[in-house]
């Protein structure tokens, strides 16, 4: 299972001035994107009042970008499952 702390750390590392750190973070996020539940983890981070404003903003931007790219993608390498789509829709209705 994906851990929110690991994803948050990667989102924040993506802002690092160190190229190697950014590359590692981007690779981790690209891999995570292919796993079921990634959008749910991003929303969990965004809704967590204990996460700083920057982290929450990074999570929701990443979520928006993944939704934009994969929500209706036909033949995507890792399409968003119907279950996850329902979960994401439910979170936005709350």
């Amino acid at each position: 299972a994906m851990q929110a702390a690991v994803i948050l750390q990667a989102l924040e590392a993506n802002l690092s001035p160190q190229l190697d750190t950014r590359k590692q973070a981007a690779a981790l996020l690209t891999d995570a994107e292919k796993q079921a539940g990634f959008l749910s983890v991003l929303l969990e981070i965004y809704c967590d009042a204990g996460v700083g404003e920057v982290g929450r903003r990074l999570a929701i931007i990443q979520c928006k970008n993944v939704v934009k790219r994969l929500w209706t993608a036909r033949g995507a390498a890792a399409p968003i499952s119907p279950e996850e789509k329902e979960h994401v829709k439910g979170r936005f209705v709350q």
Side-chain angles (χ1 to χ4, degrees):
M2 247 181 292
Q3 293 185 334
V6 173
I7 299 301
L8 178 58
Q9 191 174 24
L11 289 168
E12 291 172 340
N14 227 1
L15 298 178
S16 170
Q18 301 295 320
L19 179 61
D20 285 347
T21 301
R22 287 196 315 269
K23 281 184 176 179
Q24 288 175 357
L28 189 148
L29 292 169
T30 298
D31 287 344
E33 186 178 290
K34 296 171 188 164
Q35 297 178 39
F38 183 58
L39 291 176
S40 299
V41 171
L42 291 172
L43 287 174
E44 178 185 321
I45 293 167
Y46 177 71
C47 293
D48 184 343
V51 173
E53 187 179 337
V54 171
R56 293 178 68 222
R57 199 169 287 166
L58 291 169
I60 203 65
I61 290 169
Q62 183 79 18
C63 183
K64 175 196 70 90
N65 291 341
V66 171
V67 165
K68 187 175 180 182
R69 195 169 55 252
L70 297 178
W71 194 269
T72 58
R74 301 257 186 273
I80 301 167
S81 72
E83 297 80 21
E84 186 155 22
K85 285 182 179 182
E86 287 305 311
H87 177 77
V88 169
K89 287 178 193 174
R91 290 305 298 256
F92 281 111
V93 171
Q94 288 179 349

